[in-house]
Amino acid sequence: MSRVIELSRVTETVRDLCLKANYELGEDIIEALKRAGESEDLPRAREVLDCLIQNAAVAKEKSLPICQDTGIVVIFLEIGQEITFTGGSLEEVINEGVRRGYKDGYLRASVVNDPIRRINTGDNTPAVIHSRIVPGNRLKITLMAKGSGSENMSALKMLKPADGWPGVKRFIVEHVREVAPYCCPPLIIGVGLGGTFEQAALLAKMSLLRKVGQEAEDETIATLERELLEDINGLNIGPGGLGGKTTALSVNIETAPCHIAGMPVAVNVGCYAHRHRSTVL
Amino acid sequence: MDISSYNLQWPYQREVIQRLKAGDKVSITGHVYTARDAAHKRMTENLSALPFPLDGQIIYYCGPTPPRPDRPVGAAGPTTSSRMDSYTPQLLELGLLGMIGKGPRSREVIEAIVQSGAVYLVAVGGAGALLGEHIKGVEIVAYQDLGCEAVHKFEVADFSVYVGVDSQGRTIFTNQ
């Protein structure tokens, strides 16, 4: 059934998601950090994990950002095809929501106008917006506040079909070995496998929206996720990069059909302070 | 493995810094100056007009969130230090005593640390809310136009860090 959505509601929703995502670390991550602490033998690894758990508690209690890098905002929209929007432009109202959220929430403006001139836009806009048209009359808005410490450590490679799973695994593990100490481990590793060049990158990012601990539905892929997580946690990079068993909390793989000649693989790194929230209107 | 703990108080002494070993825990009370990518670029473009004297000081790689009205600062954790690697040796030559950030440093930076007898300290990445609780006063010293990338002077109390690279060039990182 067709439905009208007044766009001012989108602004309010995005504003609120900015605050909630930045102040409250997901329970799934807090639980995973606690479990990781129990498995660590090194005092320093336990100490770093305790510090991250305590940090999340302080942030929530005092309405402070979990991390000073409050990120660039990435929005995923699922737009029901029976919706009619009124009252402005969808992209503009989303950016207005970001503007208000970052101002009202005392969040950091971390976006520059272009990569060469690098003038801070002052209000953390514009957001990066991905949208998909889906059946129905609902609007799902997912907001990710993506820090660049982890984003900078992402990578994409066009492998050959002959490389197979061993090649994919080697690429991911070697990449994580190289970059993990520079981000804020324990990491959440998003992998996009298949599709085309740009689709692999998007799949990797979207895989980061899964709850920590939730495996892929496809049992074959879930097995590969477990295998990768075990290898990555054998690297002894550990919490804060200071040694230990917990280099990653989760490896999430999303796949898509691809060309007979192709094997794209993208790795999008999420730091422990992985912030995302959704609302359905 | 035991963790050795030390207190480091302003004014920071090079002899004290040189006794620290990679992996030691250090609690800082005094002040630090923030500078990250854009401030480093500006400082090194004109070393004769630095916004603060580097000698004996500690630079914190940090761009804090804006403070709520009742607080000096919001979240203020470390950013990735390796982005400052190309600038750091020049600053160490001018007497900079230490840097605080997160993650490993380049070979060139480690050599410059050894050469000048300095130290690289690591704060826990992603613990910005908690670290902000140990910042008691904030003053913007220079480059206000850079927003969060301006040079801030932070008064810190019991600010916890680990020794990442000591003055002998030993590192805390398992892969270096």
Side-chain angles (χ1 to χ4, degrees):
Chain A
M1 198 172 66
S2 69
R3 179 170 167 238
V4 175
I5 293 185
E6 170 56 48
L7 280 169
S8 58
R9 287 182 67 197
V10 173
T11 299
E12 279 313 300
T13 303
V14 169
R15 176 207 172 271
D16 295 348
L17 290 173
C18 290
L19 271 63
K20 182 119 174 136
N22 275 294
Y23 294 163
E24 294 181 33
L25 192 60
E27 283 300 324
D28 54 329
I29 297 176
I30 295 174
E31 286 308 312
L33 291 172
K34 286 181 182 164
R35 277 198 304 277
E38 288 160 15
S39 76
E40 289 286 1
D41 302 321
L42 284 175
R44 193 162 57 215
R46 286 202 301 271
E47 197 173 77
V48 171
L49 290 166
D50 280 349
C51 177
L52 299 180
I53 294 165
Q54 214 187 325
N55 182 69
V58 167
K60 187 175 178 182
E61 186 199 326
K62 302 194 172 178
S63 294
L64 286 169
I66 298 158
C67 174
Q68 73 290 338
D69 185 352
T70 51
I72 186 167
V73 173
V74 183
I75 298 276
F76 298 91
L77 299 174
E78 285 178 28
I79 307 170
Q81 63 195 24
E82 292 160 38
I83 299 173
T84 306
F85 292 108
T86 62
S89 127
L90 183 55
E91 279 195 18
E92 277 170 27
V93 298
I94 287 172
N95 283 321
E96 182 57 25
V98 171
R99 196 171 285 126
R100 287 192 203 167
Y102 275 66
K103 181 167 180 289
D104 297 351
Y106 298 93
L107 305 175
R108 196 179 81 179
S110 311
V111 174
V112 291
N113 64 340
D114 79 40
I116 302 299
R117 280 157 287 205
R118 309 198 73 86
I119 309 293
N120 197 306
T121 61
D123 57 11
N124 218 46
T125 65
V128 176
I129 303 172
H130 302 288
S131 52
R132 215 155 60 91
I133 307 289
V134 297
N137 61 8
R138 301 273 178 188
L139 173 67
K140 183 174 182 187
I141 304 174
T142 300
L143 179 145
M144 187 188 285
K146 190 68 172 75
S148 208
S150 56
E151 190 73 359
N152 279 354
M153 301 302 158
S154 302
L156 189 147
K157 186 151 189 180
M158 304 303 281
L159 294 175
K160 299 179 191 72
D163 293 323
W165 171 244
V168 171
K169 189 168 148 179
R170 199 176 322 118
F171 169 67
I172 296 168
V173 174
E174 285 314 307
H175 182 70
V176 172
R177 184 201 302 277
E178 192 187 323
V179 305
Y182 297 90
C183 332
C184 292
L187 306 173
I188 297 158
I189 308 289
V191 177
L193 191 54
T196 50
F197 178 79
E198 83 288 1
Q199 192 183 10
L202 190 55
L203 285 172
K205 176 136 284 147
M206 291 179 73
S207 77
L208 293 175
L209 297 174
R210 239 195 258 163
K211 278 205 182 313
V212 168
Q214 186 192 334
E215 297 185 324
E217 281 174 25
D218 182 324
E219 187 45 43
T220 304
I221 302 299
T223 307
L224 302 181
E225 290 176 345
R226 287 194 288 271
E227 205 178 306
L228 269 176
L229 183 61
E230 198 180 320
D231 281 17
I232 288 168
N233 283 338
L235 295 172
N236 190 27
I237 293 167
L242 308 182
K245 295 176 185 170
T246 322
T247 301
L249 295 175
S250 177
V251 177
N252 305 341
I253 305 177
E254 291 291 331
T255 63
C258 59
H259 192 281
I260 48 173
M263 179 69 131
V265 54
V267 181
N268 193 203
V269 179
C271 55
Y272 100 89
H274 183 48
R275 292 148 288 171
H276 59 97
R277 294 279 169 177
S278 295
T279 299
V280 177
L281 293 182
Chain B
M1 183 183 67
D2 285 331
I3 301 175
S4 304
S5 296
Y6 298 92
N7 290 317
L8 183 62
Q9 293 203 317
W10 174 259
Y12 312 126
Q13 306 290 332
R14 204 171 283 272
E15 309 84 86
V16 176
I17 294 279
Q18 289 175 342
R19 282 203 290 272
L20 299 173
K21 290 193 295 294
D24 287 346
K25 207 174 161 182
V26 180
S27 176
I28 306 174
T29 299
H31 66 257
V32 296
Y33 289 97
T34 69
R36 38 172 298 153
D37 311 60
H40 272 78
K41 183 164 187 289
R42 257 190 219 181
M43 287 197 293
T44 52
E45 274 166 0
N46 189 358
L47 288 169
S48 61
L50 289 166
F52 60 95
L54 290 171
D55 198 24
Q57 303 293 346
I58 294 175
I59 287 182
Y60 182 22
Y61 304 140
C62 174
T65 60
R68 290 182 174 279
D70 56 336
R71 301 175 64 91
V73 74
T79 194
T80 309
S81 307
S82 62
R83 294 197 315 274
M84 270 49 81
D85 280 353
S86 60
Y87 306 112
T88 301
Q90 309 172 61
L91 305 183
L92 288 168
E93 255 178 54
L94 293 173
L96 181 65
L97 201 50
M99 297 79 65
I100 306 172
K102 65 165 167 146
R105 306 306 303 260
S106 67
R107 187 44 51 196
E108 292 72 24
V109 169
I110 295 173
E111 280 165 14
I113 286 170
V114 173
Q115 199 103 54
S116 64
V119 69
Y120 166 56
L121 303 161
V122 290
V124 173
L130 201 56
L131 289 164
E133 297 277 276
H134 294 270
I135 297 166
K136 304 301 178 186
V138 177
E139 181 192 337
I140 295 181
V141 174
Y143 311 155
Q144 188 146 20
D145 61 298
L146 295 179
C148 68
E149 293 207 73
V151 172
H152 298 67
K153 186 180 182 184
F154 285 173
E155 295 297 332
V156 298
D158 304 318
F159 190 88
S160 262
V161 292
Y162 298 98
V163 176
V165 179
D166 65 27
S167 59
Q168 307 290 306
R170 290 169 292 213
T171 98
I172 196 173
F173 299 100
T174 47
N175 64 345
Q176 273 194 323

